[in-house]
Amino acid sequence: MLGENEELSRLIINCLSRDLQGNSEIFACLALHAIANISGREMATSLLNEVQQLLVSGSHTSFVRKKAALCLLRLFRKFPEIFEAIDWAPKILYMMDDRDFGTALGVASLVTALAQVYPEAYYGAVTKAVNRLHKIVIEKDFTSEYVYYKIAVPWLQVKLLRLLQYFPGPADLQVFRRLNDVLAYIISHSAEVPKNVQHNNAQNAILFEAINLCIHLDPASELVDQTLGLLSNFIIAKETNSRYLALETMCHLAATGARNCLDSLRVNQDTIVASLKDKDISVRRRALDLLYSMCDQNNVRVIVAELLQYLPIADFAIREEMVLKIAILTEKFAMEYSWYVDVVLQLITVAGEFVSDDIWFRVVQIITNNEVLQEYAVATILTALRSPTCHETTVKVGGCVLGEYGHLIANMPGCAPIDQFTALHTKFPICSVQTRALLLTTYVKFMNLFPEIKGEIIAVFKQHQSVLDVELQQRANEYLRLATRDDGDELLQTVCEEMPAYPERESALLLKLNQKIADTEDKRTWIIGGKDANTEVAKAKAIRDAAIAAAGGAGTNGVPRPVAAGKGLLKTFEDKLQESNNPPAGSTEEADLLKAIELSKLDMPDGGLSETIQKPTTPAAAPTVDALGAGVIDYSLAKPVVKALSGGMDDSTLYSRLVTAANGLLHRDANLEIGLKTEYREHIGRIAIFFGNRSSHAITSLAAEIQADPKQVRVTLLQPLPSIIPPGTQLHQIYKVECLGVCDPLSLLNVACAIGDGISLNVPVNLSLRLPILLTKFVTPIQLPANDFFQRWKQIGGPPRESQAVFRPASGTVVATSDLAKIITSLGLGIIKYVDDSPLSVVGAGIFNASELGKVGCMVRLEKNEQYEMYRLTVRTTNEIVSDVLRAQIEECVALHI
């Protein structure tokens, strides 16, 4: 009776506020219900902070705190823009440890919603969720009232397992092992099917969320391999819920594109096809989704044939979606043009009323853009038009295609111009107005292609000169006037010229399909479709993981991949590199940096295979030469000359900070303060230089200029600087910087001015300051699978495109791996996961961008030896000069801990 837009709802804000602040638990809960259900923007803004205080307050009961968490969840979904999610993150995350399971469940639901929008701020939920699951599943830390059919708090387990799917895996090795133990326990104790339905449902809910989490962390793990057999049994189970969940989980497997997953799906292909005839429509939908996701060039003919066979008896509710997916699969995996045309015509014949305009538009585009297809397509469509059961959509396609390419078959038996005209015109009376208008346009094109049937076509135009429909009447009169002009057929030929090829663009069918897939409140971490359909999702995950890693939250050396309990240890970089030298039989995948993120026109030539890196055995004393023969540089013996970063000049604290930071001070004294604010995108940068007058006198004759190598960096002044800065005033100038090649680290800012000192009003000042216009500023991070990383690492090969250094840091002590990851990400590189399970190394990759040199792929591996307090840095790029410069810059940043 009282909606959120009613005036009365605004008048009760004070009453609700008093109830929230009162001592009555019942009144507080009623107020929370009212706020969640009838609050408008004004009420939500006014009471949001009070609801949040109820959640974190220790003076209220767990029942009120649970209601407060659910109320905040509702408000966040209705008005996310007013929610102070980042500021409240520490307090909300703290409530995940509440001893009351009901409160913990409500907070977990809230954090799940927030984590989808603010993953960096709520990454701390990973450790808390894993520890809570470990206490429940492994340590059995729960009371009997929270046991539901022998399952401890299944709702909380499901919610926490789902929450973990919105983050990269735990960075801490101990936390990861706890998570691995939990997942292994859940999977190993779910093999038997309980007889009680409620017990079975609770167990399956937890099991399938655990499987989805395993797939999310690493689809190639041994835990996922264990679950493949379970899923094969579930899709033939008696319970409808089990079959539904198994098919949906298999869709998740197909979305990863992992070889072990796809092989398992192919084994169960017949069972999945049989699920199309399941008695439950929800199961039939999931079977359709799975067949669509697992389809590839090897099985496309079988799957499309099965779908076409099932299409006539399919439910009307899913028939349009089936038609769309058949059309997409046929176009995507067609190896022969003739097969594509045959399937589409069969599709139109079987379910023409469900074939949308987007589908037949796409057919016409493909025929127009492929000359080798045109003759076969025209002949096949003409045969289809003669069928008595020909659908109107076939007439539309025939009208478009015959009018353009009918001349290609005019000399074939039964395909004469009059035969083509007759085949179309016999369908004319039974078609809609829109189709008849299209056919009139086809007829005028016939008149240009086949002058011998001009008389029959003119008769049709005259017949429609006075029809009631305005569109038909206008076309008939215009075409008739065009056909009977006295100046010959020159204008007709110009108007009826052959249509040019359509521009290549993304198929509209995929966009239409994605619009049909509705999202739930908790968004999926994948979308229905194969690996290609999840490319954008993978990019978004890579960006998210890089942001979390940059914030110091996620793994620094990649997240350890799950392994089954008691099966194997974490593998080193060398182990995995050796494994990649022996790929599985039948593997034809080519590793490429473009697989992770679509970078335009990246050219990376193949190199020889690198030698396997052998770790040195433990010697009695600290080595002075690395196992590969590289000399050890000891930065701790003396303050180094910073050549790569400062062009041979002494190191500066302010300058060093700007090497890895975008903004900061460049110079500061009693009179003048100079700061930088920079922004770089690929090979283009913008530098704003701020000049602040800290003295009580005006700064006059101010001039500033950037000095850089014009062969490597092009500097353009966008906003000049005034020559006078009044006291207490800050002014700025803006430059555009374009990277042409390998940046010279010696870029300077030359400043000249005059400053009053209270005695003489004209004291000249000249400054020459180093500017951090470095190679790393033009590096963009990327993420890519471990297998692709190893393949590309080997292809680049060793020297000269590999540059390596072994060194001891200036402090004499190596830093934590998380600090190394921060340095790598601050230099523009992305942290690569699953490459090295060792907690003592960091692996990264990026793209160096230069307008003349082009794009250069960069791969970095940084190892530390805690016994000897040393680092080994290996850089491989597709340009040997870039390898040396990038290695030098990273080396000195790590050695000096910049």
Side-chain angles (χ1 to χ4, degrees):
M1 295 177 62
L2 185 62
E4 62 182 47
N5 296 321
E6 297 291 338
E7 184 67 26
L8 182 58
S9 64
R10 299 188 181 95
L11 301 178
I12 63 173
I13 293 177
N14 290 334
C15 295
L16 293 174
S17 178
R18 285 196 301 269
D19 290 338
L20 293 177
Q21 297 174 9
N23 297 323
S24 173
E25 176 182 320
I26 296 176
F27 287 176
C29 290
L30 289 174
L32 290 170
H33 277 279
I35 295 169
N37 288 284
I38 67 170
S39 66
R41 181 179 299 275
E42 182 180 348
M43 180 185 294
T45 304
S46 302
L47 300 175
L48 188 61
N49 286 321
E50 295 184 26
V51 176
Q52 190 259 351
Q53 288 301 321
L54 277 183
L55 173 63
V56 300
S57 173
S59 59
H60 292 82
T61 63
S62 59
F63 186 68
V64 176
R65 294 200 299 272
K66 178 181 70 173
K67 295 287 186 182
L70 296 177
C71 181
L72 286 174
L73 174 61
R74 182 67 177 271
L75 293 178
F76 176 70
R77 288 173 174 170
K78 291 174 68 175
F79 310 110
E81 64 280 358
I82 69 172
F83 210 86
E84 300 176 11
I86 297 178
D87 295 337
W88 291 353
K91 294 181 178 180
I92 293 177
L93 290 177
Y94 176 79
M95 296 304 299
M96 289 186 66
D97 294 328
D98 195 283
R99 290 293 302 171
D100 182 77
F101 287 120
T103 304
L105 178 60
V107 175
S109 300
L110 175 60
V111 173
T112 300
L114 294 170
Q116 296 170 49
V117 184
Y118 307 101
E120 300 94 339
Y122 287 87
Y123 182 73
V126 172
T127 301
K128 293 181 178 295
V130 172
N131 290 338
R132 196 64 180 258
L133 283 169
H134 193 270
K135 287 182 178 180
I136 296 172
V137 177
I138 305 298
E139 300 175 16
K140 308 296 183 183
D141 184 8
F142 53 84
T143 55
S144 59
E145 61 264 27
Y146 287 103
V147 177
Y148 177 81
Y149 289 94
K150 301 180 182 180
I151 304 292
V153 279
W155 309 278
L156 182 57
Q157 288 192 55
V158 168
K159 186 63 68 174
L160 294 177
L161 289 169
R162 183 171 300 173
L163 170 62
L164 291 171
Q165 296 174 42
Y166 295 104
F167 297 102
D172 185 86
L173 188 58
Q174 185 176 2
V175 176
F176 162 71
R177 286 172 176 164
R178 286 189 169 195
L179 177 59
N180 185 71
D181 293 341
V182 170
L183 295 175
Y185 183 92
I186 292 173
I187 293 172
S188 62
H189 286 73
S190 302
E192 297 182 3
V193 179
K195 296 180 180 180
N196 186 281
V197 177
Q198 285 79 8
H199 185 189
N200 186 44
N201 288 339
Q203 177 176 288
N204 288 347
I206 298 171
L207 172 63
F208 283 105
E209 287 298 340
I211 295 175
N212 279 312
L213 178 56
C214 292
I215 298 171
H216 167 74
L217 293 174
D218 185 4
S221 67
E222 295 182 25
L223 278 179
V224 174
D225 291 339
Q226 289 182 19
T227 63
L228 296 178
L230 291 176
L231 293 175
S232 300
N233 295 330
F234 275 119
I235 60 175
I236 58 175
K238 294 181 179 180
E239 296 81 10
T240 302
N241 287 342
S242 299
R243 297 196 303 273
Y244 175 90
L245 291 172
L247 291 170
E248 184 172 40
T249 306
M250 285 182 165
C251 287
H252 191 183
L253 288 171
T256 65
R259 183 174 302 278
N260 60 322
C261 301
L262 295 178
D263 290 343
S264 174
L265 295 178
R266 294 190 187 102
V267 171
N268 295 283
Q269 183 171 304
D270 293 340
T271 306
I272 298 168
V273 171
S275 299
L276 286 172
K277 302 179 178 64
D278 194 276
K279 61 183 179 180
D280 190 279
I281 187 173
S282 61
V283 175
R284 296 196 293 271
R285 283 183 180 275
R286 292 289 80 81
L288 173 61
D289 291 339
L290 179 53
L291 288 172
Y292 171 74
S293 300
M294 63 184 285
C295 188
D296 56 24
Q297 291 182 347
N298 297 321
N299 57 12
V300 62
R301 288 180 177 266
V302 175
I303 290 178
V304 169
E306 293 288 351
L307 293 177
L308 284 173
Q309 183 180 358
Y310 174 67
L311 185 58
I313 60 174
D315 300 86
F316 283 93
I318 66 172
R319 199 172 293 185
E320 181 179 0
E321 185 179 344
M322 282 193 68
V323 169
L324 190 57
K325 289 181 175 178
I326 292 172
I328 292 172
L329 294 177
T330 306
E331 175 188 341
K332 186 176 181 180
F333 298 112
M335 301 297 291
E336 299 175 2
Y337 289 126
S338 58
W339 179 75
Y340 171 76
V341 174
D342 293 341
V343 170
V344 171
L345 289 179
Q346 185 179 355
L347 187 63
I348 295 173
T349 301
V350 173
E353 63 272 21
F354 295 96
V355 177
S356 64
D357 289 343
D358 290 323
I359 294 178
W360 74 265
F361 286 170
R362 186 62 178 168
V363 174
V364 173
Q365 290 176 18
I366 291 174
I367 294 174
T368 302
N369 289 3
N370 294 275
E371 293 185 6
V372 296
L373 174 61
Q374 292 166 1
E375 182 177 339
Y376 179 84
V378 172
T380 306
I381 291 171
L382 181 59
T383 303
L385 286 171
R386 290 170 175 157
S387 171
T389 58
C390 172
H391 193 271
E392 184 174 341
T393 304
T394 307
V395 179
K396 294 177 183 178
V397 177
C400 291
V401 174
L402 288 174
E404 295 291 340
Y405 311 110
H407 63 280
L408 298 176
I409 61 170
N411 297 325
M412 295 182 181
C415 300
I418 189 63
D419 295 328
Q420 297 182 34
F421 173 74
T422 302
L424 284 174
H425 199 57
T426 53
K427 310 296 182 183
F428 191 92
I430 60 175
C431 291
S432 64
V433 172
Q434 291 81 3
T435 304
R436 280 183 279 168
L438 185 151
L439 291 180
L440 289 180
T441 303
T442 303
Y443 296 164
V444 77
K445 292 190 175 186
F446 274 168
M447 194 163 51
N448 178 53
L449 292 174
F450 312 122
E452 61 268 27
I453 61 173
K454 187 174 182 178
E456 289 84 349
I457 295 174
I458 289 178
V460 174
F461 291 156
K462 289 180 178 180
Q463 182 182 356
H464 290 80
Q465 276 185 296
S466 303
V467 293
L468 294 177
D469 186 81
V470 176
E471 177 68 20
L472 291 179
Q473 184 184 120
Q474 182 177 352
R475 291 199 184 202
N477 281 281
E478 289 177 356
Y479 293 157
L480 181 62
R481 182 73 182 90
L482 185 64
T484 56
R485 286 175 62 90
D486 297 333
D487 54 356
D489 296 334
E490 183 176 351
L491 180 60
L492 178 64
Q493 293 173 1
T494 303
V495 172
C496 298
E497 284 184 353
E498 185 174 311
M499 285 285 293
Y502 291 89
E504 292 296 333
R505 55 179 180 263
E506 184 180 3
S507 173
L509 303 184
L510 288 172
L511 299 177
K512 186 178 180 67
L513 179 62
N514 291 336
Q515 291 172 358
K516 285 182 172 293
I517 301 174
D519 212 345
T520 59
E521 292 292 353
D522 290 339
K523 299 176 183 177
R524 275 198 183 111
T525 57
W526 52 279
I527 62 175
I528 294 172
K531 185 177 181 180
D532 294 340
N534 284 268
T535 301
E536 294 299 325
V537 177
K539 290 181 185 178
K541 286 183 179 180
I543 295 172
R544 177 205 65 190
D545 294 353
I548 293 176
T556 56
N557 60 308
V559 180
R561 59 191 294 179
V563 292
K567 289 191 176 182
L569 300 174
L570 301 178
K571 297 176 181 177
T572 66
F573 182 91
E574 287 77 11
D575 294 335
K576 295 185 178 181
L577 184 61
Q578 183 62 36
E579 287 179 0
S580 68
N581 289 333
N582 304 296
S587 174
T588 60
E589 295 184 0
E590 288 292 334
D592 198 324
L593 267 95
L594 294 177
K595 267 185 187 175
I597 293 181
E598 295 176 2
L599 296 166
S600 59
K601 299 180 180 179
L602 174 62
D603 182 19
M604 302 184 73
D606 292 342
L609 298 179
S610 63
E611 297 180 1
T612 303
I613 302 174
Q614 300 293 333
K615 287 189 175 290
T617 57
T618 305
T624 58
V625 178
D626 182 54
L628 295 178
V632 178
I633 302 174
D634 195 342
Y635 284 83
S636 64
L637 297 180
K639 186 173 182 179
V641 178
V642 188
K643 295 180 180 179
L645 298 180
S646 58
M649 299 181 181
D650 289 339
D651 187 31
S652 165
T653 303
L654 294 177
Y655 173 82
S656 298
R657 292 173 181 173
L658 288 169
V659 170
T660 55
N663 311 318
L665 284 176
L666 187 64
H667 171 80
R668 186 174 188 177
D669 57 33
N671 299 312
L672 180 62
E673 184 176 74
I674 303 176
L676 288 186
K677 186 174 183 180
T678 62
E679 179 184 9
Y680 291 90
R681 292 185 180 178
E682 296 189 351
H683 65 284
I684 300 295
R686 287 170 64 91
I687 301 178
I689 306 177
F690 295 85
F691 297 83
N693 186 351
R694 305 182 67 208
S695 71
S696 57
H697 302 279
I699 295 178
T700 60
S701 304
L702 178 62
E705 180 184 14
I706 293 180
Q707 176 185 337
D709 185 355
K711 296 181 180 179
Q712 306 297 340
V713 178
R714 182 183 294 126
V715 180
T716 306
L717 179 61
L718 300 181
Q719 180 175 322
L721 180 69
S723 59
I724 300 176
I725 306 179
T729 304
Q730 185 183 79
L731 301 174
H732 67 276
Q733 63 179 173
I734 299 177
Y735 289 92
K736 173 186 174 183
V737 179
E738 180 181 0
C739 180
L740 305 178
V742 181
C743 301
D744 188 340
L746 184 54
S747 298
L748 300 175
L749 175 66
N750 297 318
V751 181
C753 63
I755 304 176
D757 60 355
I759 300 174
S760 172
L761 296 179
N762 191 25
V763 178
V765 175
N766 292 285
L767 297 173
S768 185
L769 306 171
R770 290 165 291 152
L771 276 182
I773 304 178
L774 305 170
L775 180 149
T776 52
K777 297 293 184 180
F778 302 96
V779 174
T780 53
I782 64 169
Q783 292 288 328
L784 65 163
N787 290 337
D788 291 0
F789 181 92
F790 285 118
Q791 290 291 338
R792 182 53 60 186
W793 181 270
K794 293 185 298 182
Q795 288 173 0
I796 293 177
R801 292 186 292 179
E802 177 186 274
S803 183
Q804 190 175 81
V806 179
F807 55 93
R808 183 174 286 108
S811 63
T813 305
V814 296
V815 299
T817 308
S818 58
D819 292 332
L820 296 180
K822 290 179 182 179
I823 296 175
I824 295 298
T825 53
S826 67
L827 294 174
L829 297 162
I831 302 298
I832 306 301
K833 302 187 301 181
Y834 307 137
V835 173
D836 194 350
D837 291 330
S838 170
L840 303 178
S841 66
V842 180
V843 179
I847 299 296
F848 169 61
N849 304 277
S851 57
E852 294 184 0
L853 183 62
K855 295 179 180 293
V856 178
C858 307
M859 313 182 81
V860 174
R861 186 190 183 211
L862 177 61
E863 310 162 79
K864 66 176 181 178
N865 187 316
E866 295 180 341
Q867 180 180 359
Y868 299 121
E869 303 293 351
M870 293 193 306
Y871 296 109
R872 178 166 64 171
L873 172 64
T874 307
V875 175
R876 292 188 181 185
T877 76
T878 54
N879 182 289
E880 55 191 79
I881 300 177
V882 174
S883 297
D884 290 334
V885 175
L886 180 61
R887 190 267 310 152
Q889 293 184 10
I890 298 175
E891 176 187 340
E892 292 180 4
C893 284
V894 173
L896 304 176
H897 197 194
I898 294 176

